[in-house]
Amino acid sequence: MRAPVSWIREYADLPADLSTDELARKLTALGLKLESLERPGAAITGPLVIGRVMTMESEPQKNGKTINWCTVDVGDANGTGDPQGIVCGAHNFAPGDLVVVVLPGGVLPGPPGSDGVEISARKTYGHVSAGMICSARELGLGDDHTGIIVLEPGSGEPGEDARPVLGFGEEVIEFEINPDRAYALSLRGVAREAAMGFHTSYTDPCRREVPAANGDGYPVRVEDAEGCPVFVARTVTGFDPRSPSPEWLRTRVRLAGMRPISLAVDVTNYVMLETGRPIHGYDSDKLQGAIVVRRAAPGERLTTLDGVDRELSTEDLVVCDDSGAIGLGGVMGGETTEMSDRTSTVVIEAAHWDPVSMFRTGKRHRLTSEAGKRNERGVDPTICQVAADRVAELLTTYGGGTVSPGVTVVGSPPSPSAITLPVGLSARVAGLPIADADVVSNLRAIGAEVSGVETLSVTPPPWRPDLRDPYDLVEEVVRIVGYDRVPSVIPVPPVGRGLTREQRLRRRIGRTLAGLGCVEVVSFPFVGDETFDALGLQADDVLRHAVRLSNPLSSEKPLYATTLLPGVLDAAARNLGRGATGVALFETGTVAFPTNRGAAPVYGVEWRPTEAELQKLFDAIPAQPLLLAAVLAGERERDGWWGDGRAADWTDAIEIVRGLASELGVDLEVRQTSRMPWHPSRCALVCIGDQEIGHAGELHPRVCRAYGLPRGSAVLEIDLDALMARTVEIPPAPIVSHQPLAKEDVALVVDATVPSSEVERALRAGAGELLESIRLFDVFTGPQIGDGKKSLAFALRFRAPDRTLTEAETGAARDAAVAAASSAVGAVQR
């Protein structure tokens, strides 16, 4: 919202010595955020004068563009008194028009950070163009670049300084208006805030006498009173459409960021800027029958003022006559009843529209307008008659004609509901003392009606539909008192709680993985069917049974992840593609598995859900286990003077799982299995006892190709919830014995299908308490041991805490271990 300071001062009696900077600071403190402070024309130097176009010759160019070679009378401003030759590409003017000309030596605003654009005489399109005929954008008055500025006749004489006519020297404050402060999208609202901030008097431009409604106005019928509570129509006859807008009005509209077009359009825009109430005008001669407000019919179409033919929704509010739809109510009018340079009878519409309906219509048609922006946020419903009367007054004052005595008013403005407010609530929320009298006076300052003593009954003003509960009123009180007075108090954390067990374990897991050479990544937990295809999952794989999102960020990934592998694989491929020689990445996060109980019910916010309703909500929440996924690809150990390096392989993934389990004090078992997306013969099933918690091993070659990873890359994914449930939070310290160690090695022949972990478990169980450690150090296959067999060599280490073991004791423990393995898995000692 752009607000010229002189316009603000017209309604707010501000101190004469108040600077614009101080005014902007105060309004910002009250909630109208300062976007920029502009002084139009301040960057323009040199001769900027009024010129009169004498001749204008159109010259088509080879590039398809048509330029105008003009001679312009600039009086004595050029030092010679001769007409000035200027090339201009605009076509919205004619000989005899008054225009704004910058002569050679003048400097116009340039791009941010530049010193401006210096104008000089230069040859272009076969002519020497000595100056420039200016548009609003070139002068920094707005974004319009489609046509040059045409001044009103009588604005001045050729050669005179154009700055006073353009309003240069005027200061403009541009605000960023929050959606809940629609009242500030008008000079009425901004000036009220300024007067309140400086405790000065305020003149409401909407406080005026208006004629009472009667039955002589233009006929109007509202069929949807909820969508259009109030509709006011006034008629002006004998209007001269060629009458120019007065220069003061054009200047104000221009400074407010809008382009002056014609008297009828400029007046409706001016009143909208002044009061905040959007106005629409119809050419009465083009209307066919009574005006009707209703919802659009199925298949109905409308060509709006922007020239777009639109198919209407049955939810759209439309203004109609006997010919059909003639406008999108509150958003944009239609072409068929548009005012033109032949319009002599104007029907003025000032209507209040349902904000929600306006917002949905604008979004549905991707249509934005200044009127729609105000209507969808909520406008004062009580000023429709005032706004229509103001438009009629300006049209007849500057365009001739008379205002018809008929006044049509359909409906009545909705009344705001009273809000109950404990008088001390503002002080409690703000944390600073606020006197009860100040609470009442501040609420009255915003236009509210207040009654009561300890408990106040507050009726918000009609221009504040955003005030709906006591805390909205608290915000109003505190912003007037001053947000800068609210004390800054640092919350005191509760003592003695610290981190939860899960938080401690998750940090411990992260540190352990970092110590194992892995780097943590975070990825979006969204996948699609293509993701599962890239992982090689079968159609009936449990991981494909995912939660579908109702509002996904991407239509290509509408599912919530059931595995963390896609995220780490994408991250690995991205880093390798950008020059990394090797990666070791991990991610921890939750995945989701649907409960098959349907979507969660949606309850209102007016009451607390019952226990049964809460249980339905909880039942609909998907299962969300916490997982760990990691990928190792490319170089694992670097080569150098110390020797050769090596690439990551499946053993690294398994060792990371073992290292993590060792740190957490959990005994793991690793068994061979087959599971996509792992290599069929290099996939390990990770178990804690009989509970399966995940997989680790080499990534399937097809999956490596799908993600662009090197062959042999390794991945792992385990259930951290299951792992942490078995974790010993404080593992016992190892017992260091001073007794000597006894070493025994055994080689056992077993079937090739027997996992080494089962053999190890049997040996450990048979060796007894004297066994300190066991390690598989060799696997051998060959004709010496027979087909379908393999030899496993284990290093057994024995130690007693109180004595040196004898050879007999060690041998007995070894033989017991071999016997247990023979009994459990059919092992035969070599």
Side-chain angles (χ1 to χ4, degrees), residues 284-351:
S284 179
D285 295 333
K286 298 178 181 178
L287 288 171
Q288 301 178 28
I291 292 176
V292 180
V293 178
R294 57 170 172 79
R295 299 286 174 173
E300 195 166 13
R301 305 189 71 86
L302 170 68
T303 301
T304 46
L305 289 174
D306 56 1
V308 178
D309 180 29
R310 303 179 186 276
E311 181 176 356
L312 303 180
S313 165
T314 54
E315 296 183 6
D316 291 333
L317 271 171
V318 292
V319 181
C320 311
D321 63 5
D322 292 347
S323 66
I326 59 174
L328 271 175
V331 180
M332 185 174 285
E335 274 191 348
T336 57
T337 56
E338 181 182 8
M339 294 184 294
S340 67
D341 56 5
R342 292 186 297 276
T343 300
S344 60
T345 303
V346 180
V347 176
I348 303 165
E349 168 207 301

Side-chain angles (χ1 to χ4, degrees), residues 174-197:
E174 183 172 4
F175 299 102
E176 179 184 329
I177 305 300
N178 290 335
D180 62 337
R181 299 197 181 275
Y183 68 91
L185 290 171
S186 68
L187 270 297
R188 179 196 187 204
V190 174
R192 181 187 289 108
E193 295 285 295
M196 181 177 65

Side-chain angles (χ1 to χ4, degrees), residues 652-707:
D652 294 305
I654 295 176
E655 284 307 307
I656 285 179
V657 175
R658 290 187 184 277
L660 182 60
S662 175
E663 170 64 24
L664 299 179
V666 178
D667 292 329
L668 287 183
E669 292 186 19
V670 177
R671 307 169 188 169
Q672 185 175 358
T673 188
S674 178
R675 173 80 165 98
M676 287 298 289
W678 281 271
H679 192 290
S681 61
R682 296 169 191 165
C683 175
L685 175 65
V686 182
C687 303
I688 303 176
D690 295 331
Q691 183 181 7
E692 300 176 1
I693 67 167
H695 299 81
E698 183 177 316
L699 196 62
H700 197 288
R702 288 203 305 269
V703 181
C704 289
R705 286 195 299 272
Y707 281 92

Side-chain angles (χ1 to χ4, degrees), residues 159-411:
E160 291 182 355
D161 191 357
R163 289 173 174 82
V165 179
L166 296 171
F168 287 175
E170 173 74 271
E171 295 178 305
V172 179
I173 307 174
E174 183 172 4
F175 299 102
E176 179 184 329
I177 305 300
N178 290 335
D180 62 337
R181 299 197 181 275
Y183 68 91
L185 290 171
S186 68
L187 270 297
R188 179 196 187 204
V190 174
R192 181 187 289 108
E193 295 285 295
M196 181 177 65
F198 290 97
H199 307 287
T200 61
S201 61
Y202 167 69
T203 302
D204 189 347
C206 290
R207 182 166 295 179
R208 57 188 287 141
E209 295 294 328
V210 295
N214 54 54
D216 300 327
Y218 198 90
V220 175
R221 185 173 75 255
V222 176
E223 296 180 355
D224 192 324
E226 183 177 346
C228 180
V230 184
F231 195 108
V232 175
R234 299 291 299 276
T235 304
V236 173
T237 60
F239 171 72
D240 183 1
R242 290 176 293 278
S243 298
S245 300
E247 196 58 46
W248 67 266
L249 190 149
R250 292 162 58 90
T251 298
R252 280 194 168 177
V253 169
R254 190 184 298 117
L255 290 175
M258 304 183 75
R259 179 167 67 95
I261 297 174
S262 65
L263 177 60
V265 175
D266 295 347
V267 164
T268 55
N269 285 338
Y270 177 84
V271 174
M272 180 182 68
L273 293 168
E274 181 182 55
T275 66
R277 165 58 61 192
I279 307 291
H280 186 67
Y282 301 95
D283 187 332
S284 179
D285 295 333
K286 298 178 181 178
L287 288 171
Q288 301 178 28
I291 292 176
V292 180
V293 178
R294 57 170 172 79
R295 299 286 174 173
E300 195 166 13
R301 305 189 71 86
L302 170 68
T303 301
T304 46
L305 289 174
D306 56 1
V308 178
D309 180 29
R310 303 179 186 276
E311 181 176 356
L312 303 180
S313 165
T314 54
E315 296 183 6
D316 291 333
L317 271 171
V318 292
V319 181
C320 311
D321 63 5
D322 292 347
S323 66
I326 59 174
L328 271 175
V331 180
M332 185 174 285
E335 274 191 348
T336 57
T337 56
E338 181 182 8
M339 294 184 294
S340 67
D341 56 5
R342 292 186 297 276
T343 300
S344 60
T345 303
V346 180
V347 176
I348 303 165
E349 168 207 301
H352 183 68
W353 307 92
D354 174 51
V356 175
S357 180
M358 295 304 95
F359 176 78
R360 289 175 177 170
T361 295
K363 289 295 183 184
R364 190 179 301 116
H365 295 282
R366 299 180 181 179
L367 186 59
T368 58
S369 66
E370 289 295 326
K373 182 168 65 175
R374 288 163 172 81
N375 281 324
E376 70 187 23
R377 298 183 183 197
V379 187
D380 186 349
T382 65
I383 62 170
C384 293
Q385 287 182 259
V386 170
D389 192 67
R390 176 67 165 147
V391 170
E393 176 191 44
L394 291 173
L395 287 179
T396 54
T397 299
Y398 297 102
T402 58
V403 182
S404 297
V407 179
T408 301
V409 179
V410 179

Side-chain angles (χ1 to χ4, degrees), residues 496-774:
R497 294 186 180 180
L499 301 176
T500 65
R501 178 179 185 274
E502 180 181 349
Q503 289 171 328
R504 291 193 299 271
L505 289 178
R506 291 185 67 168
R507 292 191 178 190
R508 188 167 155 194
I509 289 168
R511 288 193 297 268
T512 300
L513 292 169
L516 293 171
C518 297
V519 176
E520 186 172 14
V521 296
V522 178
S523 58
F524 281 116
F526 308 122
V527 296
D529 290 332
E530 295 81 2
T531 307
F532 297 135
D533 293 340
L535 292 176
L537 302 182
Q538 298 295 322
D540 59 349
D541 196 295
V542 66
L543 296 182
R544 284 186 178 267
H545 188 42
V547 175
R548 183 170 295 273
L549 306 176
S550 61
N551 56 340
L553 293 178
S554 169
S555 59
E556 297 178 354
K557 295 184 177 181
L559 307 174
Y560 200 91
T562 54
T563 170
L564 298 181
L565 289 178
V568 293
L569 294 178
D570 282 333
R574 187 179 306 112
N575 282 273
L576 291 172
R578 295 182 179 180
T581 57
V583 293
L585 308 177
F586 79 92
E587 180 176 10
T588 60
T590 57
V591 296
F593 293 94
T595 60
N596 296 322
R597 298 190 183 99
V602 179
Y603 301 124
V605 297
E606 297 83 9
W607 66 88
R608 183 186 186 278
T610 65
E611 294 301 322
E613 290 173 334
L614 285 175
Q615 189 59 47
K616 290 181 180 179
L617 287 173
F618 294 141
D619 289 343
I621 297 176
Q624 300 175 66
L626 178 67
L627 303 186
L628 161 68
V631 57
L632 302 101
E635 188 178 67
R636 181 61 174 164
E637 296 178 2
R638 293 184 178 181
D639 58 1
W641 57 265
W642 53 84
D644 295 334
R646 70 174 182 88
D649 61 24
W650 62 274
T651 61
D652 294 305
I654 295 176
E655 284 307 307
I656 285 179
V657 175
R658 290 187 184 277
L660 182 60
S662 175
E663 170 64 24
L664 299 179
V666 178
D667 292 329
L668 287 183
E669 292 186 19
V670 177
R671 307 169 188 169
Q672 185 175 358
T673 188
S674 178
R675 173 80 165 98
M676 287 298 289
W678 281 271
H679 192 290
S681 61
R682 296 169 191 165
C683 175
L685 175 65
V686 182
C687 303
I688 303 176
D690 295 331
Q691 183 181 7
E692 300 176 1
I693 67 167
H695 299 81
E698 183 177 316
L699 196 62
H700 197 288
R702 288 203 305 269
V703 181
C704 289
R705 286 195 299 272
Y707 281 92
L709 295 174
R711 190 181 181 91
S713 297
V715 294
L716 65 95
E717 186 170 46
I718 59 174
D719 186 339
L720 279 187
D721 284 335
L723 183 62
M724 292 191 296
R726 302 291 188 93
T727 295
V728 179
E729 190 167 356
I730 303 178
I735 299 175
V736 180
S737 174
H738 62 278
Q739 301 298 332
L741 187 70
K743 302 178 181 180
E744 292 285 347
D745 294 341
V746 296
L748 303 177
V749 177
V750 296
D751 290 340
T753 58
V754 175
S756 61
S757 58
E758 292 187 14
V759 181
E760 179 181 326
R761 183 167 59 251
L763 289 171
R764 188 182 296 277
E769 296 180 352
L770 296 179
L771 181 67
E772 183 176 275
S773 66
I774 181 171

